[in-house]
Amino acid sequence: MIDYTIIKDLIVYSDPIIGIITLDDILNYLLLQIQNQKKFEEIVYSNLKFSNLTDEDIASIFNLSTTNTVEMYLKTIKNEL
């Protein structure tokens, strides 16, 4: 596997207004979005706890989420694990 520090500054997109977007910029933005998704899931979970759903039903719903898996992949790419 290629060391992330070698490819992190790879330019993925260049725009005269936005500027240069590197691979590191994109992965950091994705990690930020994952943190926002986790906050959203916490809010949804707290609301579902007050519903008529059982703990098993709630767990089944959250098992469909891939937030933690995507975060693990991104951290693996960035050598943060």
Side-chain angles (χ1 to χ4, degrees), residues 1-72:
M1 185 171 173
I2 296 174
D3 186 14
Y4 181 71
T5 57
I6 295 171
I7 63 169
K8 73 179 189 126
D9 294 325
L10 177 72
I11 296 172
V12 177
Y13 183 74
S14 180
D15 183 91
I17 297 173
I18 298 172
I20 293 173
I21 299 175
T22 64
L23 179 62
D24 196 46
D25 294 332
I26 291 172
L27 296 181
N28 286 334
Y29 182 73
L30 287 171
L31 285 170
L32 177 64
Q33 292 306 309
I34 286 172
Q35 295 308 315
N36 290 336
Q37 179 66 23
K38 285 183 176 184
K39 288 177 189 173
F40 170 77
E41 289 177 4
E42 288 174 14
I43 293 167
V44 170
Y45 176 78
S46 65
N47 286 330
L48 290 176
K49 286 299 282 181
F50 295 108
S51 70
N52 293 331
L53 295 173
T54 65
D55 287 343
E56 185 177 290
D57 292 335
I58 295 171
S60 295
I61 292 169
F62 280 94
N63 281 336
L64 299 173
S65 173
T66 59
T67 304
N68 290 330
T69 305
V70 172
E71 181 180 33
M72 181 197 64

